[in-house]
Amino acid sequence: MNEELASVLDTCTALPASAADAREQVEVLLGEQCVPGDGRRDGVVWADALLVTSELVTNAYLHGGGLTAFSAWIAGDELFLSVSDGSTALPVTRSRTPGRYTVGGYGWPMVARLSKSLSVTPTATGKSIEAVLPLS
């Protein structure tokens, strides 16, 4: 890793026990790395970051066989989230019938919409999802 990247990189050290714990870690990271007046303290930007964090970690616990790894870091004007779980099943987008309400299935499309990029990588023990979110 080069020195420039190392100076803007911060990873969360403890595996969150819940989505709330993960949000707290990301909020601390944002607070430490985003300086007032730099355009990255916008409430909507932070809310999006915390919402995506919550969704990915919740899904790891509910549908992924448990959270196996979590990290978050900032490089430039982007927040990187990496969430791994114990399931090889890929996230799915449910088809919807216009005008009919169904319970669940809204999270993955929301994560995709809020993320600048999104990838799912199979691992030896499940999968890892990396989301990149713009901070400006």
Side-chain angles (χ1 to χ4, degrees):
M1 174 183 325
N2 67 40
E3 278 186 51
E4 182 179 320
L5 180 57
S7 71
V8 296
L9 183 84
D10 195 354
T11 57
C12 299
T13 55
L15 190 62
S18 66
D21 288 345
R23 284 192 309 272
E24 184 176 335
Q25 288 183 17
V26 170
E27 193 161 28
V28 167
L29 173 64
L30 290 169
E32 291 173 352
Q33 297 288 324
C34 299
V35 181
D38 73 356
R40 299 187 311 177
R41 282 196 170 234
D42 179 273
V44 172
V45 170
W46 279 37
D48 288 351
L50 298 177
L51 186 59
V52 170
T53 300
S54 186
E55 184 64 27
L56 292 176
V57 171
T58 297
N59 283 348
Y61 280 117
L62 290 179
H63 308 294
L67 186 68
T68 59
F70 175 81
S71 61
W73 65 95
I74 293 171
D77 273 347
E78 297 174 330
L79 171 67
F80 292 78
L81 296 171
S82 180
V83 177
S84 299
D85 64 40
S87 172
T88 57
L90 299 176
V92 295
T93 301
R94 293 184 188 168
S95 60
R96 305 242 179 244
T97 303
R100 297 198 70 187
Y101 175 77
T102 57
V103 176
Y106 295 94
W108 185 249
M110 177 201 60
V111 168
R113 186 176 187 128
L114 295 175
S115 299
K116 180 177 179 180
S117 67
L118 188 59
S119 63
V120 181
T121 306
T123 67
T125 59
K127 67 180 166 299
S128 179
I129 298 174
E130 186 171 285
V132 180
L133 288 94
L135 292 176
S136 58

